[in-house]
Amino acid sequence: MKTLYLDLFFFLNLLADYLICLSAGRLCSLQLRRGRYCLSALFGAVYAALSVLPGFAFLSAPFWRLCSALVMGMLAFFGEARPLRCILTMLAVAALFGGALYALLPAAGGHRLFSLRKLLAVFFFCYGLLKFFSHTRQRWDGQRKAQVKLVFHGREAAFSALVDSGNSLRCPDTGESALIVSPPALRPIFQEHTLILEELSPIDLVEALSQLPEYAGRLRLIPFRSLGGSGLVPVFRPEQIWIDGKEAGDLLVAVSREARGNGFEAII
């Protein structure tokens, strides 16, 4: 008769689910939101523990497993630019982890219960492999991404930015460089006013936000020139900004709907 230690079972599921969410976030080139991944993993671990308790065996049915996976995905990736893609990636990573464990069954003598050491080794091996693959893919794509966090009006936004040596946007008066950010990445800062950033022209945008006391006088327009033409772009000065954990100096933030792509929401 096999004995299942509920506390160990809970811990293993918590760790595995967290690594699955973290791996999916890396593969999708997201700004890693570890707190949300912990919350998602906690839900998954509680579900797994309940499913082995007497009276809750129905939770192990495929339907409830799928529902649990979808809830985990929403907890981890709701609010991302393409949440469905992230959730499908999470499911694929979970399948990889499960496949790796199944492949090791012969090495465990056919037993489905592994030692804690073996389980941890499998989880971290798969996570390391996926992390390596994520970095390698970025090098093949010729894209280097940076993690950006900025504070404006006391609110904080975090997102991934494409490091583009061709970005030469500068303020003509001061010579300061500008980070170009898409409106969705700034939603935590502008909140219900994000729609203004997405729909209005640069001139109308600055005029509309200048009517709000918290933004009055804090946004202005600077000219830009690119292969696609020239025009004006709204900019503001953040209170603080970090790039890959290092505080950046005098760096403006420009708002543009064009500053997003596969795995990034801004251009440096």
Side-chain angles (χ1 to χ4, degrees):
M1 181 179 179
K2 296 177 181 177
T3 302
L4 180 63
Y5 294 95
L6 190 61
D7 55 347
L8 179 60
F9 185 69
F10 174 86
F11 169 75
L12 289 175
N13 277 276
L14 181 67
L15 176 61
D17 291 341
Y18 175 75
L19 291 178
I20 287 170
C21 291
L22 192 61
S23 299
R26 287 191 180 277
L27 287 174
C28 294
S29 301
L30 302 178
Q31 168 71 32
L32 300 180
R33 308 181 192 278
R34 299 176 186 271
R36 298 193 64 168
Y37 302 162
C38 285
L39 179 62
S40 176
L42 181 62
F43 173 83
V46 170
Y47 162 79
L50 284 175
S51 68
V52 298
L53 291 177
F56 292 92
F58 68 92
L59 290 176
S60 61
F63 172 77
W64 293 109
R65 288 185 180 181
L66 178 60
C67 290
S68 171
L70 292 176
V71 172
M72 284 182 58
M74 293 301 292
L75 288 173
F77 304 114
F78 180 77
E80 300 292 352
R82 292 191 286 177
L84 180 58
R85 172 176 173 264
C86 299
I87 293 173
L88 292 176
T89 301
M90 184 196 75
L91 295 176
V93 171
L96 173 64
F97 274 53
L101 289 176
Y102 184 81
L104 289 178
L105 279 176
H111 298 296
R112 294 186 179 275
L113 295 179
F114 295 86
S115 68
L116 175 61
R117 183 180 300 176
K118 289 181 179 179
L119 282 170
L120 291 177
V122 171
F123 292 151
F124 282 108
F125 173 77
C126 290
Y127 174 70
L129 187 64
L130 290 170
K131 185 176 180 180
F132 172 78
F133 173 77
S134 177
H135 288 311
T136 302
R137 188 191 64 174
Q138 287 187 17
R139 288 198 297 268
W140 286 346
D141 291 343
Q143 296 181 349
R144 185 169 74 84
K145 297 184 180 70
Q147 305 304 315
V148 178
K149 183 169 67 174
L150 64 87
V151 176
F152 181 66
H153 194 61
R155 304 187 187 113
E156 181 181 297
F159 45 85
S160 293
L162 175 67
V163 180
D164 181 8
S165 60
N167 175 24
S168 58
L169 182 62
R170 292 179 178 274
C171 176
D173 298 329
T174 64
E176 295 171 292
S177 299
L179 165 71
I180 310 172
V181 186
S182 63
L186 298 172
R187 186 174 291 114
I189 290 175
F190 289 92
Q191 299 178 347
E192 69 272 14
H193 305 304
T194 305
L195 194 62
I196 295 176
L197 306 183
E198 295 177 331
E199 294 188 349
L200 298 186
S201 67
I203 295 177
D204 292 338
L205 184 158
V206 172
E207 289 182 353
L209 290 179
S210 67
Q211 305 302 314
L212 303 173
E214 63 265 40
Y215 303 120
R218 303 198 65 180
L219 283 89
R220 57 195 174 98
L221 297 168
I222 64 172
F224 75 90
R225 185 180 301 276
S226 68
L227 293 177
S230 60
L232 297 172
V233 62
V235 300
F236 62 87
R237 185 184 303 280
E239 291 146 18
Q240 288 180 292
I241 185 168
W242 297 266
I243 298 176
D244 282 339
K246 298 180 180 180
E247 189 167 3
D250 295 330
L251 189 64
L252 299 174
V253 175
V255 183
S256 172
R257 292 188 289 269
E258 308 301 322
R260 65 184 306 182
N262 184 19
F264 64 89
E265 296 179 283
I267 299 174
I268 298 176

